[in-house]
Amino acid sequence: MTPDAPPAAYPGRVMATEQRHEPHLRRPGRLRRFSARSRELFQGLGAALTTPTTPGAPLLSEASSRWVRLLPYVVALAFVSSLLPTTITVLVDDYGINGVLAGAIAIAQTVPLLLAVSRPLQAWWVIFTADVLGSLALVHSDGVHADLWPWTPPVVIGYCALMVALGLRESRRALFGVWLATGAAGYVLELFRPDGDTSVHTLLLVLSGVLLLLTSAVRARGDAQRRLVEQEIINEAERSRRTLLEERARIARELHDVVAHHMSVITVQADSAPYRIPDLPDAAREEFTSIATSARESLAEMRRLLSVLRSDGSEGERAPQPGLDRVQQLVEATVRAGVPAELSLAADLGDVPQAVDLSAYRIVQEALANVVRHAPGAATRVSVRASDDGWLTVLVVNGPGEEAGSGVERGAAGTGHGLVGMRERVRLTGGSLDTGPLPDGGFRVAARLPLTADPAPEPAPEPAP
């Protein structure tokens, strides 16, 4: 072969060359990715160390007791009061530092602990800088008892107290940055350790890491419990709202039956008027036709709106809506359930509007159901009467239940549908509702519903029996 042969003439050599250079082509990309990730990590740590999580809010500021809120300040003041003179004494006596310099170092290392109550991250910057500068000042110390490097015993104690404040307030990324800075500073200062001194930077690194882990775990548990309580409050509010909407939808379905009956009567009367009334003028015939058409359109529109309120897959109730004429059957069923109930029903209630008739029945039904659930065996009295001033009074009073701890006033759990439904029905008809426990352990439900469009002013509430 000639030396001028093209590269294709040497496939083996070309392949070997490609295989030899391929790793070198991929390595710079990996280094760039590693460098970018490292840069992002250090940038995140730097941002965490310069941005407090909750600036200005003191430790235990959410406590209800004033003494508990003051406790962090008392503890910080106790640390400062004990560490400040101790630090000066150690620096002067053990390390031979000048008194003025020792006082300045001691103040910078201890007094910021008071700031740690509300701003622990800022306090850490001050104390950490003071600890490092104080260690550099000990490089040429000639004290006879100077044997610990680079941190003095008061520095270790104060730094551990600062770690507790940090762990209870700052994010985990900030705590990790603090721990790394502590370890890096200790190992760098280790290069300047005087001969014969004992190194304590590993001890401080371990103690600070353990304290940061424990306090951050305590803070995380407290945050989780607080979020759980907040979620329970939100769930309770949503449950109450859902109960209210469900009851309103149920009332709307029942009102549909009430209104649909009257609208159907109007439609039939308007359609049959030309046949029932002889010699009816053409204008009147057109008017009755228009009335019948409007009534039919209203019925159709009402049915369309009602379909929105019905649950998925549910069917409309086909039975006629109950009224006060069925209260006797309701009380008898309650007696059969084990509740000794008696009924006082007026013989002539007059002309009761259909919406009021249905609402009164439902109120009695819900009240008796609550007695069966929460006060089984309690003597119960049901009273329904009409007054001359245009009001219908419905009263259901029960005594204490026979079973211990069964009453509502003893905290038995319930869904809350009963009282919500009563209030909605009473509000719908323009009446009033009075419910609450009685001194003897029973419960009282009193509703007043208007029998006319403009009843007399409602009198003062009756005293509880």
Side-chain angles (χ1 to χ4, degrees), residues 263-352:
M263 295 297 292
S264 300
V265 172
I266 293 174
T267 304
V268 172
Q269 289 178 340
D271 284 335
S272 62
Y275 304 100
R276 294 183 291 103
I277 304 175
D279 301 330
L280 194 65
D282 293 339
R285 291 176 181 271
E286 294 177 0
E287 188 68 22
F288 279 120
T289 302
S290 176
I291 292 173
T293 302
S294 298
R296 278 191 289 269
E297 291 177 354
S298 299
L299 279 172
E301 183 67 23
M302 190 164 49
R303 292 190 180 97
R304 282 194 294 269
L305 292 176
L306 183 66
S307 63
V308 178
L309 298 175
R310 295 192 185 278
S311 304
D312 296 338
S314 64
E315 297 181 357
E317 298 178 0
R318 304 182 185 279
Q321 295 298 335
L324 292 175
D325 57 337
R326 294 178 55 183
V327 170
Q328 178 68 37
Q329 302 176 13
L330 188 61
V331 173
E332 293 175 356
T334 306
V335 172
R336 289 194 297 269
V339 175
E342 60 179 19
L343 172 64
S344 175
L345 180 63
D348 185 13
L349 295 175
D351 187 12
V352 180

Side-chain angles (χ1 to χ4, degrees), residues 236-451:
E236 183 63 27
E238 289 294 329
R239 191 180 302 112
S240 300
R241 182 174 178 271
R242 184 170 61 251
T243 299
L244 181 62
L245 294 178
E246 290 175 356
E247 190 62 30
R248 286 181 177 179
R250 179 186 175 190
I251 295 173
R253 290 194 296 267
E254 293 176 347
L255 284 180
H256 163 264
D257 297 336
V258 174
V259 178
H261 168 72
H262 295 290
M263 295 297 292
S264 300
V265 172
I266 293 174
T267 304
V268 172
Q269 289 178 340
D271 284 335
S272 62
Y275 304 100
R276 294 183 291 103
I277 304 175
D279 301 330
L280 194 65
D282 293 339
R285 291 176 181 271
E286 294 177 0
E287 188 68 22
F288 279 120
T289 302
S290 176
I291 292 173
T293 302
S294 298
R296 278 191 289 269
E297 291 177 354
S298 299
L299 279 172
E301 183 67 23
M302 190 164 49
R303 292 190 180 97
R304 282 194 294 269
L305 292 176
L306 183 66
S307 63
V308 178
L309 298 175
R310 295 192 185 278
S311 304
D312 296 338
S314 64
E315 297 181 357
E317 298 178 0
R318 304 182 185 279
Q321 295 298 335
L324 292 175
D325 57 337
R326 294 178 55 183
V327 170
Q328 178 68 37
Q329 302 176 13
L330 188 61
V331 173
E332 293 175 356
T334 306
V335 172
R336 289 194 297 269
V339 175
E342 60 179 19
L343 172 64
S344 175
L345 180 63
D348 185 13
L349 295 175
D351 187 12
V352 180
Q354 194 167 357
V356 174
D357 192 34
L358 175 60
S359 297
Y361 175 85
R362 292 301 188 193
I363 290 172
V364 175
Q365 183 184 39
E366 295 289 357
L368 292 178
N370 286 337
V371 174
V372 173
R373 284 194 298 266
H374 304 298
T380 306
R381 179 168 55 90
V382 180
S383 174
V384 180
R385 67 178 186 273
S387 59
D388 297 335
D389 53 2
W391 290 94
L392 179 70
T393 303
V394 179
L395 182 65
V396 181
V397 180
N398 66 273
E402 293 182 352
E403 300 178 8
S406 62
V408 176
E409 65 279 358
R410 294 177 175 86
T415 62
H417 287 274
L419 295 180
V420 170
M422 294 180 194
R423 294 191 185 99
E424 282 299 304
R425 293 181 184 280
V426 169
R427 188 181 65 85
L428 177 69
T429 58
S432 63
L433 180 67
D434 179 23
T435 62
L438 299 176
D440 63 351
F443 202 83
R444 176 177 184 266
V445 175
R448 291 177 60 83
L449 309 174
L451 293 174

